């Protein structure tokens, strides 16, 4: 699979699919977090340094019916100018006549940003004719949008057909793919996967797939209580997906059959309300009283999980151990984060943190630079670890 380093862009127009789906302030429409933009700057810089030009395309938000000002990418033009320090032109219609004139006239060292691709329904439908039109904007197609790599959209996958030889991964994509592949195909053992978050239903497929590659799977967060119920526990008012209880029993059996240690939390911090002001206490997970709900893993679980993490050489973490957004229930997630950092620092473990909420937790504790890698992709990373080939990656590989 080619990456951007396999090409020289001198005299070429690179057509780059980026993820500029940045959060905007509802009132002022100012960018509130530009991490997705800064992530892709090295890709843009390499192309410009080679002597090429960049036609940049992205989606922003979820427009329903055609153009809507609050989803216009014109809101990011000035910021892109200040980040890159080069002229940035803007095309108000990504496949309009004017846009093609602008991309044809683009000079080396310049950027043209196309208006939101999702102003056309054809983008999400993966429409071939729409992809063919977009393809006319560039000589070499670069995909650097990991956040949408699990979608077979026109600009993320279908378009690659029109660049049979001239297509590659940008730096963001190349890094995400290399790190995910390292875990999927070259994990050093012992390998622990830590899976948390609210719902079992979101994580069933990933757990199923991890049963084939991990030595231990730690289950934490709200999803643990569905397992507890399956084991005959009384879980009080804790989160539970009743229609998934049978499935959790099957997972426990499958893990035993494969010799995988499926490690559940023995205890919880329970609360009498879903609130940071609630009364709290530690409780055995098999005996949570009615009127109380588990909102964090308890001290025994922290210790059990910590031991396994510290003995591991590969660590994959997706999903928090509790309601870490509230200070009363952040201890479990913080303890796990500390153990991951310690294993990375002291034992040279390879640690990959992925999925929106675990990345947010790591950022909250200020540990982004103390783990091996924090993925930028939520859904895309999950699907990778569910064992699916991502359309955005497959399109470059083929
Ligand atoms: P997910 O998006 O599925 O990874 O879930 C993340 C969310 O799960 C976070 O917002 C947490 O607050 C929430 N969560 C974690 N543990 C619990 C719990 N025990 N009860 C309720 N919500 C939880």
């Amino acid at each position: 699979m080619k990456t951007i380093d396999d090409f020289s862009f001198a005299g070429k127009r690179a057509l780059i699919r980026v993820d500029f789906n940045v959060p905007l302030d509802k009132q002022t429409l100012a960018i509130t977090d530009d991490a997705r933009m800064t992530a892709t700057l090295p890709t843009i810089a390499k192309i410009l340094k080679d002597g090429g030009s960049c036609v940049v395309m992205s989606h922003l938000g979820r427009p329903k019916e055609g153009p809507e000002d609050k989803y216009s990418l014109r809101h990011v033009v000035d910021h892109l100018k200040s980040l890159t320090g080069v002229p940035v032109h803007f095309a108000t219609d990504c496949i309009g006549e004017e846009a093609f004139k602008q991309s044809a006239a683009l000079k080396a060292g310049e950027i043209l940003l196309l208006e939101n691709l999702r102003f056309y329904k054809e983008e999400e439908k993966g429409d071939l004719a729409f992809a063919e039109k977009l393809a006319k904007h560039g000589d070499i197609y670069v995909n650097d949008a990991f956040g949408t790599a699990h979608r077979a959209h026109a600009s993320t996958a279908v378009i690659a057909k029109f660049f049979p030889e001239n297509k590659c991964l940008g730096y963001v994509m190349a890094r995400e793919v290399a790190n995910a592949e390292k875990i999927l195909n070259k994990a050093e053992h012992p390998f622990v996967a830590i899976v948390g978050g609210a719902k079992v239903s979101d994580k069933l497929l990933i757990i199923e797939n991890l049963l084939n590659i991990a030595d231990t799977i730690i289950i934490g967060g709200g999803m643990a209580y569905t397992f507890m119920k399956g084991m005959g526990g009384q879980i009080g008012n804790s989160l539970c997906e009743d229609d998934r209880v049978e499935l959790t029993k099957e997972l426990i059996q499958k893990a035993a059959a494969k010799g995988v240690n499926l490690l559940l939390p023995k205890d919880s911090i329970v609360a009498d309300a879903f609130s940071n002001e609630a009364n709290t206490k530690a409780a055995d997970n098999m005996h949570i009283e009615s009127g109380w709900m588990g909102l964090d893993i308890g001290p025994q679980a922290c210790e059990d999980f910590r031991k396994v993490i510290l003995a591991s050489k590969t660590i994959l973490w997706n999903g928090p151990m509790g309601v870490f957004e509230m200070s009363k229930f952040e201890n479990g997630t913080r303890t796990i984060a500390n153990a991951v950092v310690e294993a990375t620092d002291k034992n040279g473990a390879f640690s990959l943190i992925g999925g929106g909420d675990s990345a947010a937790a790591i950022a909250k504790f200020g540990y982004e630079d103390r783990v091996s890698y924090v993925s930028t992709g939520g859904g895309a990373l999950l699907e990778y670890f569910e064992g699916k080939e991502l359309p955005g990656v497959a399109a470059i590989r083929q």
Side-chain angles (χ1 to χ4, degrees):
M1 196 162 28
K2 286 184 190 154
T3 76
I4 186 167
D5 283 327
D6 293 315
F7 290 88
S8 166
F9 290 85
K12 305 277 187 210
R13 277 180 311 170
L15 177 59
I16 322 173
R17 177 49 159 108
V18 298
D19 181 4
F20 281 2
N21 183 28
V22 289
L24 300 180
D25 182 273
K26 280 203 178 70
Q27 243 95 63
T28 64
L29 298 176
I31 300 165
T32 55
D33 178 357
D34 69 351
R36 288 176 172 163
M37 292 179 76
T38 54
T40 214
L41 289 178
T43 295
I44 293 175
K46 140 86 180 163
I47 292 161
L48 299 180
K49 190 165 165 259
D50 277 2
S53 58
C54 299
V55 179
V56 176
M57 55 181 177
S58 178
H59 76 285
L60 175 64
R62 294 174 179 267
K64 286 195 189 76
E65 289 292 331
E68 269 180 86
D69 184 59
K70 65 176 173 180
Y71 296 127
S72 172
L73 278 164
R74 77 182 172 81
H75 303 304
V76 313
V77 172
D78 285 343
H79 195 54
L80 186 57
K81 262 185 212 161
S82 65
L83 288 174
T84 57
V86 302
V88 178
H89 307 274
F90 182 61
T92 55
D93 174 350
C94 63
I95 52 164
E97 221 176 285
E98 188 58 28
F100 290 108
K101 280 189 196 152
Q102 287 172 287
S103 62
L106 204 61
K107 297 194 195 75
E110 293 184 346
I111 297 173
L112 170 67
L113 175 65
L114 303 181
E115 180 56 288
N116 194 342
L117 299 165
R118 290 197 188 165
F119 285 174
Y120 284 89
K121 280 209 173 62
E122 288 85 346
E123 162 64 357
E124 289 182 84
K125 285 189 183 147
D127 184 83
L128 191 66
F130 179 68
E132 188 172 14
K133 279 186 197 157
L134 285 176
K136 295 199 165 60
H137 281 300
D139 306 310
I140 302 171
Y141 169 66
V142 182
N143 191 349
D144 213 22
F146 187 67
T148 46
H150 57 315
R151 307 280 182 225
H153 293 170
S155 71
T156 60
V158 180
I159 194 170
K161 284 191 181 67
F162 302 102
F163 299 88
E165 299 302 325
N166 293 330
K167 57 183 179 179
C168 62
L169 301 179
Y171 290 124
V172 174
M173 279 284 274
R175 203 168 51 226
E176 292 279 357
V177 169
N179 282 303
E181 293 283 327
K182 189 166 171 177
I183 294 229
L184 283 168
N185 301 321
K186 287 176 256 163
E188 255 192 87
H189 294 268
F191 169 10
V192 63
I194 310 159
V195 186
K199 286 158 104 194
V200 186
S201 46
D202 292 342
K203 307 283 163 88
L204 277 173
L205 292 176
I206 191 171
I207 296 172
E208 288 255 9
N209 196 42
L210 289 170
L211 283 173
N212 299 317
I213 51 176
D215 302 301
T216 301
I217 302 178
I218 288 177
I219 305 281
M223 57 189 272
Y225 303 101
T226 304
F227 283 84
M228 291 299 157
K229 187 146 183 195
M231 290 162 64
Q234 292 165 8
I235 58 167
N237 293 39
S238 309
L239 267 189
C240 183
E241 290 174 89
D242 286 320
D243 54 342
R244 303 296 162 137
V245 171
E246 284 308 310
L247 272 168
T248 61
K249 288 192 203 170
E250 282 170 29
L251 282 177
I252 291 173
Q253 279 165 6
K254 276 188 197 165
K258 287 179 189 270
V260 175
N261 178 18
L262 191 76
L263 191 56
L264 290 156
K266 290 207 175 72
D267 59 355
S268 288
I269 298 298
V270 296
D272 60 1
F274 189 83
S275 155
N276 209 24
E277 273 70 57
N279 295 304
T280 62
K281 59 185 179 182
D284 183 311
N285 269 349
M286 297 300 276
H287 306 283
I288 299 176
E289 293 161 56
S290 155
W292 293 78
M293 62 189 90
L295 295 185
D296 194 7
I297 53 171
Q300 181 66 51
C302 282
E303 204 181 313
D304 294 346
F305 292 180
R306 196 181 139 72
K307 254 191 213 145
V308 173
I309 293 165
L310 287 181
S312 296
K313 278 289 187 194
T314 301
I315 304 164
L316 170 69
W317 182 11
N318 176 289
M321 297 290 100
V323 186
F324 74 100
E325 299 93 335
M326 297 186 205
S327 56
K328 263 196 177 161
F329 311 108
E330 69 162 35
N331 181 59
T333 305
R334 189 185 280 279
T335 303
I336 295 317
N338 277 321
V340 173
V341 165
E342 204 176 322
T344 311
D345 265 2
K346 292 200 182 138
N347 309 345
F350 177 73
S351 51
L352 190 154
I353 318 298
D357 274 312
S358 12
I362 280 287
K364 179 179 176 185
F365 305 141
Y367 287 164
E368 293 111 315
D369 298 330
R370 300 189 60 195
V371 295
S372 307
Y373 188 63
V374 181
S375 171
T376 58
L381 191 83
L382 262 186
E383 290 201 17
Y384 221 130
F385 285 107
E386 285 170 3
K388 296 177 186 152
E389 177 148 60
L390 307 185
V393 178
I396 302 293
R397 201 189 296 279
Q398 279 151 11

